Amino acid sequence: PDALRAARREAEAAFGDDNVYLEKVVAAARHIEIQILADTHGNVIHLGERECSIQRRHQKLLEEAPSGIVADDTAMREKMGAVACRAAAAVEYVNAGTIEFLVDGEKNFYFLEMNTRLQVEHPVTEMITGLDLIELQILATAGHGIALAQDDITASGHAIEARIYAEDPAQNFMPSTGNIDQLSLPHDGLRIDTGIAAGMAITPYYDPMVAKLIAHGKDR
């Protein structure tokens, strides 16, 4: 009750309206998202799930596909995928997008948000499906339609992406700036997405993520 009264006071002070709504707490939740693709002809398909549960300050650190709790649960994947497709269709969405869910210990899932774009972690989906999501979203939005049916989507192996941040671990991993004196990136069997090079400066004007390292193997 005290927290509700405090929230009402804050709402009244900020917005002139003390109405609030309560959201269910999903304790120890897993963060699972579904990649969808929708075209101008009303077709919507999903490309499976990604798990993004490993986070710091609500910022994702590691993403993987498939999810560890969904990997062998075909029924759960189909159910989540169907819900994601229905959500996109309901708003007549066109483009690549992501429907995000929180999943509890009983595998109940709850809508969190939709990201109306390709996300940072889309490479893990590309790695296991062999599809180019950039190409697919361009074709879908340009009116060419999706040339794939849901049954055409298959996945192989397991992919994990690690976000590389410019941070100071001695300062609780807060964003850090400075010059890149040396840079050596591994490429043997790995995918590296980055826009940095030796001699460049890390400025305070952008997100501290400077690169992504993506690995793909036959299993987790």
Side-chain angles (χ1 to χ4, degrees):
D2 289 342
L4 181 59
R5 283 191 289 271
R8 287 191 183 281
R9 286 195 300 271
E10 185 173 345
E12 174 68 31
F15 308 111
D17 185 343
D18 70 353
N19 283 299
V20 297
Y21 65 91
L22 304 182
E23 290 186 281
K24 179 176 180 175
V25 172
V26 184
R30 303 279 283 264
H31 188 140
I32 311 293
E33 58 191 32
I34 303 289
Q35 176 70 58
I36 61 101
L37 187 67
D39 65 21
T40 56
H41 304 282
N43 300 308
V44 186
I45 62 173
H46 72 85
L47 308 180
E49 83 283 350
R50 297 186 288 260
E51 176 152 358
C52 311
S53 298
I54 299 178
Q55 303 180 14
R56 180 172 60 234
R57 294 194 302 272
H58 304 295
Q59 294 295 312
K60 299 169 184 175
L61 294 176
L62 296 176
E63 299 103 356
E64 57 184 306
S67 161
I69 63 170
V70 184
D72 298 322
D73 194 336
T74 303
M76 183 179 182
R77 177 177 295 111
E78 290 179 351
K79 186 175 181 181
M80 294 184 75
V83 168
C85 289
R86 287 203 304 272
V91 295
E92 300 180 352
Y93 184 73
V94 174
N95 203 347
T98 306
I99 310 292
E100 303 200 8
F101 300 96
L102 293 180
V103 180
D104 66 20
E106 303 300 319
K107 293 190 175 182
N108 300 303
F109 58 91
Y110 305 88
F111 175 78
L112 179 63
E113 64 177 358
M114 180 179 187
N115 279 286
T116 54
R117 54 178 169 79
L118 275 183
Q119 289 188 268
V120 169
E121 56 270 26
H122 81 269
V124 293
T125 298
E126 292 187 326
M127 298 296 275
I128 67 169
T129 62
L131 298 173
D132 184 334
L133 296 187
I134 303 294
E135 178 185 24
L136 289 175
Q137 76 165 357
I138 291 173
L139 293 173
T141 56
H144 296 286
I146 303 169
L148 298 165
Q150 189 63 62
D151 291 342
D152 295 328
I153 307 301
T154 59
S156 175
H158 197 95
I160 298 178
E161 173 181 292
R163 301 189 184 199
I164 310 301
Y165 288 104
E167 296 176 327
D168 184 353
Q171 300 296 324
N172 195 31
F173 293 93
M174 295 300 292
S176 180
T177 59
N179 295 320
I180 303 174
D181 295 325
Q182 299 182 48
L183 179 66
S184 177
L185 298 172
H187 289 285
D188 186 19
L190 299 170
R191 169 176 166 175
I192 307 291
D193 289 0
T194 186
I196 61 172
M200 293 178 63
I202 302 297
T203 71
Y205 306 115
Y206 302 99
D207 188 277
M209 186 183 68
V210 296
K212 302 182 296 182
L213 184 153
I214 306 100
H216 182 222
K218 64 180 181 179
D219 55 38
R220 192 173 193 271

